[in-house]
Amino acid sequence: MPGTTIASVTTPTPERFAHCAPSRAARELGLKRYEFDLAVQLGRIRTAPDEGGGGQRVARAEIARLQAQAGFPETLRERVRVVGTKEGASLMGVSEGRFARLARLGLLVPVRFYLNRYRAVVWLYLAEELRQFVADEDHAGLIKGTTPETLRSQLASGLDLRPRNWRGRHLGFLLRQAEDPWTRAGATAAFLPSAEIAEIVRSPHERVRLERLRPSLPGHGAPGSASALLGERIMTAQDADEIAWLGADLARQLEAARVQSPVAPAAPGLRATRRPQVPRLPTASAQRASSPAVATDIAASRACSEAPASRPLARGDHGPAPDATRPPRGLLTWLCRRSPRSGPTGDHARGT
């Protein structure tokens, strides 16, 4: 039928029905989206890559397995519950100061962080891990009692392992989700300074591939703002030993990636070809500025375009002088040639 467009309908495959999107899985499991993402990172929820390239998906069988667990959904939600310093100290039965000292010493590893409105870093910890720390008998002296002198001297020197422990933990999350050596190398490079990456990866083609596979880290504030710069500093390795460890790990991953899928460099004889410059059409304002005030005679323009091209002028020849007596043509000239209406004779005589 003319004028009717028939669209093709794609029938979902049975495999497509056997999986669902992460947002749908989070709703069915009774989790908020950040809780679902944390459960995936911790390995509490298993995901599978989408065959169509749409990211990770969750199998219906995995959702059914979690829903069949005893105490669902409270047990699953409690396993991914995060607490701050105040709530964590209350959970462990210690003061907030002792809790902060234990975290700075690296004994309590944060799982997330964010910046509040005062640009102060707020660290979050898994409640399940805090309970496990208290239940361990080896930690009884750290929870109740005097802090050992060696630990107090480290705190006095300004030791704070919370950013480094978060980087190590988040790197572990990314490496577990990586599927090939190049993706693992990109995850490691995400925590290194740019100067260190350029020193380790000499090939610019490999650096481009690493940058393309580099995972996006949590953003904090608008790009270039003070909050964003502070978040970037936390997510980048600072200590020399940490940088050396990440650099060595990146070099090993690059060796494995080159063996499996080497990056072909560009041919030395080939040069990048520049696209030809396409002349841009003048805008309406430019046309009004360059065109005369009177309208163009279409017949005369057509005759000029059909006339043969004239010979070039000699150096001393300036061509014939323009006809000064020839009146301009166009709508404005035609309006000016019209004689004004003659008024009453008496009005001209009176000068009104």
Side-chain angles (χ1 to χ4, degrees):
M1 182 181 297
T4 303
T5 303
I6 301 176
S8 60
V9 179
T10 303
T11 303
T13 60
E15 292 78 6
R16 190 73 177 179
F17 285 119
H19 296 77
C20 63
S23 57
R24 178 66 178 271
R27 289 194 302 268
E28 294 188 8
L29 294 174
L31 299 175
K32 298 179 181 179
R33 184 54 192 266
Y34 79 90
E35 293 176 337
F36 175 84
D37 295 338
L38 182 58
V40 172
Q41 292 175 349
L42 295 172
R44 307 286 193 266
I45 301 176
R46 295 189 293 264
T47 60
D50 188 6
E51 297 179 356
Q56 298 292 321
R57 298 182 68 84
V58 184
R60 289 287 180 182
E62 177 68 10
I63 297 177
R65 181 186 69 85
L66 295 171
Q67 291 175 344
Q69 293 179 353
F72 176 85
E74 286 76 12
T75 53
L76 178 60
R77 191 180 299 116
E78 185 63 26
R79 295 180 68 185
V80 295
R81 185 167 73 95
V82 294
V83 294
T85 300
K86 183 177 181 179
E87 190 176 358
S90 176
L91 183 63
M92 295 179 61
V94 298
S95 63
E96 296 182 21
R98 182 180 290 268
F99 184 92
R101 289 191 296 270
L102 293 175
R104 287 175 57 190
L105 290 169
L107 300 175
L108 304 177
V109 181
V111 70
R112 293 184 63 207
F113 77 93
Y114 68 93
L115 305 178
N116 61 11
R117 58 180 179 177
Y118 304 107
R119 290 200 295 270
V121 184
V122 179
W123 299 99
L124 300 176
Y125 308 84
L126 279 174
E128 183 182 20
E129 292 182 352
L130 298 182
R131 286 191 294 266
Q132 294 174 359
F133 186 88
V134 174
D136 193 345
E137 296 180 356
D138 297 336
H139 300 154
L142 297 173
I143 297 175
K144 296 179 180 179
T146 306
T147 305
E149 180 62 29
T150 55
L151 299 181
R152 284 185 294 178
S153 61
Q154 293 177 2
L155 292 173
S157 63
L159 178 67
D160 190 356
L161 296 178
R162 289 174 295 184
R164 180 169 180 171
N165 285 340
W166 177 88
R167 289 191 293 267
R169 187 165 204 166
H170 200 74
L171 176 59
F173 294 160
L174 297 176
L175 291 178
R176 279 196 296 270
Q177 298 175 0
E179 300 175 356
D180 56 82
W182 278 110
T183 307
R184 288 192 289 271
T188 305
F191 298 92
L192 279 171
S194 301
E196 298 295 331
I197 297 176
E199 184 177 353
I200 298 172
V201 188
R202 298 292 185 177
S203 172
H205 307 284
E206 293 182 347
R207 287 199 298 269
V208 169
R209 187 166 186 176
L210 280 180
E211 185 65 25
R212 187 172 65 251
L213 297 175
R214 185 172 181 172
S216 57
L217 298 178
H220 301 274
S225 62
S227 300
L229 295 178
L230 178 58
E232 184 179 357
R233 178 177 176 83
I234 293 175
M235 292 181 290
T236 305
Q238 303 294 331
D239 301 331
D241 58 338
E242 183 185 4
I243 294 175
W245 176 75
L246 291 175
D249 197 11
L250 176 60
R252 289 192 299 268
Q253 292 167 354
L254 285 176
E255 292 178 0
R258 293 186 185 109
V259 173
Q260 179 176 350
S261 176
V263 177
L270 297 180
R271 299 180 59 184
T273 58
R274 298 182 59 184
R275 298 180 61 183
Q277 295 289 338
V278 180
R280 299 179 58 186
L281 296 177
T283 58
S285 59
Q287 290 178 355
R288 288 194 298 267
S290 60
S291 59
V294 296
T296 306
D297 192 341
I298 301 177
S301 301
R302 185 177 301 171
C304 293
S305 62
E306 296 175 356
S310 58
R311 63 174 180 85
L313 298 178
R315 178 173 299 180
D317 188 4
H318 297 286
D323 189 1
T325 61
R326 182 179 180 181
R329 295 175 297 177
L331 180 61
L332 183 60
T333 306
W334 179 77
L335 292 174
C336 294
R337 286 203 303 265
R338 295 185 62 188
S339 59
R341 296 181 179 179
S342 58
T345 308
D347 292 342
H348 288 284
R350 290 194 299 266
T352 58

